[in-house]
Amino acid sequence: MSKLFIAIEGPNGVGKSTIATLLADRLSETSPYRVHLTSEPTRTPLGQLLRHSEAVMHGRALALALAADRAAHLETDIVPALNDGRHVVTDRYVQSSLVLQRIDGLDLREIWSYNRYVLPAISFYLEDHPDVIAARLAQRPERTRLETTGSPDTELRLYREAARHLRRHGWTQHTVDCHGRTPDKVVATILDLLPRAD
Ligand SMILES: Nc1ncnc2c1ncn2[C@@H]1O[C@H](COP(=O)(O)OP(=O)(O)OP(=O)(O)O)[C@@H](O)[C@H]1O
Ligand SMILES: Cc1cn([C@H]2C[C@H](O)[C@@H](COP(=O)(O)O)O2)c(=O)[nH]c1=O
């Protein structure tokens, strides 16, 4: 049986990196299989270039470059890890594009057209109160262009629309309310929702 492919998604600052890292740790402790933790944009030269270009690359060009990074991510990293018998946890995946590239001016249909061949993941959408997320972002010394273009309210709304879109395409989707819950509690909820891998 193939191993689990899990995407952690949600607005900027909601806690994706914290939860993805902790989930990978807990999953390695509780499952007989190894876990591969990864993220998008990737740590490859293309992904790093995108992280550094986000301020100057916009709209369609950025969406296509992110989709290319994702296609290579699947081909050279995610699928080989799954075939090697590892679970994969990714911090951001297709949903990030279905939300952030909309904020950057594209419509859902165009973004999906660049991403529709990807391998579906079991997706967990982290949600918190917009004021909690905004307070965290306000503490950051620097904000990215897309963080300042959007807002927690807008991202939460667009993530719900992305979930509806992917549900229509047969993806398994879970929304996880993080409000007032420690990272340990959030991860325990996610572990309870995961199917058993034999
Ligand atoms: N459940 C939680 N309760 C309280 N604080 C949390 C929780 N989850 C994460 N945090 C804190 O929120 C801040 C943002 O977390 P993190 O960097 O993981 O968010 P992110 O969604 O990955 O952000 P970005 O989208 O910018 O990459 C960190 O200071 C982290 O410690
Ligand atoms: C996968 C993905 C990422 N982005 C943007 C959003 C952020 O500016 C960075 C990632 O930052 P993080 O704090 O390390 O999560 O990349 C995007 O616009 N669209 C995407 O699909």
Side-chain angles (χ1 to χ4, degrees), residues 9-148:
E9 285 284 357
N12 279 299
V14 75
K16 294 179 296 301
S17 304
T18 306
I19 298 305
T21 306
L22 197 56
L23 174 64
D25 287 349
R26 293 285 181 276
L27 205 49
S28 336
E29 290 159 14
T30 54
S31 158
Y33 304 106
R34 288 171 300 151
V35 179
H36 177 54
L37 174 64
T38 183
S39 59
E40 294 191 357
T42 62
R43 304 286 159 195
T44 64
L46 175 57
Q48 293 299 92
L49 180 70
L50 287 176
R51 281 178 187 277
H52 295 123
S53 316
E54 187 255 11
V56 290
M57 198 189 278
H58 303 92
R60 184 167 293 148
L62 181 59
L64 283 163
L66 284 159
D69 185 46
R70 183 164 298 128
H73 193 199
L74 277 163
E75 203 174 303
T76 65
D77 187 48
I78 294 171
V79 171
L82 292 168
N83 287 341
D84 188 38
R86 286 178 280 168
H87 299 305
V88 174
V89 177
T90 182
D91 174 357
R92 291 191 184 276
Y93 192 49
V94 173
Q95 291 90 332
S96 287
S97 284
L98 295 177
V99 170
L100 293 167
Q101 279 46 72
R102 277 185 87 184
I103 290 173
D104 213 14
L106 301 193
D107 66 31
L108 195 60
R109 200 181 348 181
E110 176 172 354
I111 304 163
W112 181 240
S113 74
Y114 304 151
N115 286 280
R116 66 179 189 271
Y117 301 111
V118 300
L119 182 68
I122 302 170
S123 304
F124 292 91
Y125 296 90
L126 308 185
E127 291 195 345
D128 206 325
H129 193 284
D131 293 346
V132 172
I133 302 173
R136 285 186 193 151
L137 295 177
Q139 284 176 351
R140 293 188 173 173
E142 280 180 26
R143 310 267 300 272
T144 65
R145 180 180 64 79
L146 286 168
E147 274 170 6
T148 48

